[in-house]
Amino acid sequence: MIDLHTHTTASDGSLSPEELISLAREIGLSGIAVTDHDTTDGVAPARAEAERIGMLFVPGIEISAEYTEHGTMHILGYFIDEKNGYFEETLLFLKESRRERNPKMITLLNEAGVDITMDDVVEEAGGGQVGRPHFARAMIRKGFCASTSEAFDKYIAKGAPCYVNKDRLTPKDSIDLIRRAGGVPVLAHPKTLKLPGQKDLKSLLKDLVKKGLMGLECYYFSNSKEEEANSLALARELGLLIVGGTDFHGKNKPKVRLGVGLGNMNIPDEVLDNLFGAHKKLTIDSMVEKGKEIRPDGPKI
Ligand code: AMP
Ligand code: ZN
Ligand code: FE
Ligand code: FE
């Protein structure tokens, strides 16, 4: 059993990277990817802990790309080299844009009578990157909303009165960023794009493949059996890697459990084997491109 979609305190998960890896061992996962929103700050500590206990580990990220006025497109990047200069610079730009946006949302919320401060929100983030889910939790804690969905629907969802936009990459630039950092780009949870039908998803995927997309998240905690089967069929038809994970956020999304989602997920280990294979091929291809010598006995990749 594996899980290739998880969040830590580096973004909006409730477990630290180390705690996440410990839990993964406790429940018997054979491999895990950490995929925080727009940051890789959780990767190094998670990798160190995974190495310590001998668990297969994939460094990852989940980038929120520009999509429609109602939502964003999430693109997962696996095996990214988080130290890549272009990659780091781009993430810094996204972080900066988030830092500028957050106080503007506080002002709008205050004007709307929601009396919370930036400190209240930062407190919810526990040292990690501050996002709208932390705004929602501060609003609940202070008694202005009863639930996360109420906070979003009434105030901070895209299109709601206290929402402030921030810079986002286009899907093409997100895919490009991941590829430039040596990673494997995968479209996350396509159902959240709310496309009218399977045909529309297929043409979107074809377009994204032209831009460098390599995989599709077919196993997802909220997928029905039918949605899972449809995604698997599309991935096979288009020659995309089949990927999957629970979107684990710890107690910030309490119904979703690591590895099993709502209880019955069990992503085959073969998914991770194929992902490793795809990454190895990318690495070899790029070495060939750079004219480096590849021998069966090394270099180690
Ligand atoms: P941010 O990156 O700070 O703009 O926050 C984006 C995150 O907010 C997403 O990754 C989701 O976890 C969460 N989110 C976005 N829209 C909604 C919504 N309508 N209801 C609940 N959570 C949402
Ligand atoms: Zn999240
Ligand atoms: Fe997502
Ligand atoms: Fe996620």
Side-chain angles (χ1 to χ4, degrees):
M1 189 166 68
I2 57 167
D3 197 332
L4 301 179
H5 190 153
T6 69
H7 296 269
T8 75
T9 46
S11 66
D12 57 348
S14 70
L15 297 187
S16 70
E18 291 87 351
E19 288 167 341
L20 174 71
I21 302 297
S22 301
L23 176 62
R25 181 172 66 171
E26 239 173 77
I27 65 164
L29 286 193
S30 51
I32 188 166
V34 167
T35 55
D36 277 308
H37 300 284
D38 301 320
T39 178
T40 53
D41 291 350
V43 162
R47 179 194 285 123
E49 184 62 12
E51 274 172 10
R52 198 178 67 76
I53 65 169
M55 176 176 295
L56 282 179
F57 176 76
V58 181
I61 192 163
E62 181 176 22
I63 295 178
S64 300
E66 205 51 63
Y67 181 52
T68 66
E69 67 272 27
H70 304 298
T72 54
M73 177 189 286
H74 289 187
I75 299 177
L76 295 155
Y78 294 106
F79 292 106
I80 27 87
D81 166 16
E82 78 269 19
K83 295 272 164 32
N84 176 284
Y86 176 76
F87 184 77
E88 270 192 320
E89 255 174 50
T90 309
L91 288 191
L92 264 179
F93 159 79
L94 294 177
K95 272 185 193 169
E96 199 43 52
S97 166
R98 180 181 284 280
R99 257 198 296 273
E100 281 171 17
R101 177 209 56 180
N102 288 341
K104 292 183 190 158
M105 285 192 21
I106 291 288
T107 307
L108 289 181
L109 284 165
N110 292 165
E111 283 168 14
V114 179
D115 189 15
I116 60 165
T117 64
M118 200 57 225
D119 283 347
D120 295 330
V121 178
V122 170
E123 198 180 317
E124 294 294 338
Q129 162 160 281
V130 180
R132 281 181 288 154
H134 306 116
F135 278 77
R137 286 218 298 280
M139 287 154 80
I140 295 167
R141 180 160 53 90
K142 294 263 166 156
F144 292 102
C145 294
S147 65
T148 303
S149 55
E150 187 190 332
F152 270 88
D153 294 347
K154 266 170 100 170
Y155 299 106
I156 57 173
K158 220 172 169 181
C162 303
Y163 173 77
V164 177
N165 207 7
K166 59 181 165 55
D167 290 314
R168 285 200 184 81
L169 303 179
T170 61
K172 178 182 183 301
D173 288 343
S174 309
I175 290 170
D176 210 47
L177 177 70
I178 293 164
R179 293 293 291 260
R180 281 176 73 164
V184 177
V186 171
L187 179 66
H189 42 67
K191 67 184 291 179
T192 61
L193 300 175
K194 301 197 169 66
L195 291 160
Q198 181 88 338
K199 245 186 29 239
D200 308 85
L201 176 58
K202 185 172 166 180
S203 52
L204 173 79
L205 283 169
K206 279 183 163 173
D207 178 53
L208 294 175
V209 166
K210 280 190 205 134
K211 298 179 162 92
L213 189 82
M214 296 174 67
L216 179 63
E217 187 174 55
C218 300
Y219 303 105
Y220 191 65
F221 86 93
S222 63
N223 271 0
S224 65
K225 276 288 155 212
E226 192 191 349
E227 284 163 335
E228 182 178 297
N230 285 343
S231 280
L232 287 168
L234 262 181
R236 291 194 180 107
E237 186 183 341
L238 299 175
L240 285 162
L241 280 164
I242 290 164
V243 179
T246 61
D247 211 352
F248 179 72
H249 283 71
K251 71 172 172 45
N252 296 337
K253 207 170 173 181
K255 287 193 187 120
V256 179
R257 283 147 56 204
L258 188 63
V260 295
L262 298 176
N264 54 4
M265 280 176 83
N266 188 350
I267 302 159
D269 286 13
E270 163 193 293
V271 166
L272 184 53
D273 298 341
N274 293 340
L275 189 59
F276 265 102
H279 174 244
K280 192 167 172 180
K281 185 171 179 317
L282 266 189
T283 312
I284 294 176
D285 288 351
S286 101
M287 289 171 81
V288 169
E289 218 171 87
K290 289 181 191 142
K292 288 192 187 151
E293 188 187 353
I294 299 162
R295 306 178 307 271
D297 58 340
K300 199 165 175 292
I301 46 175

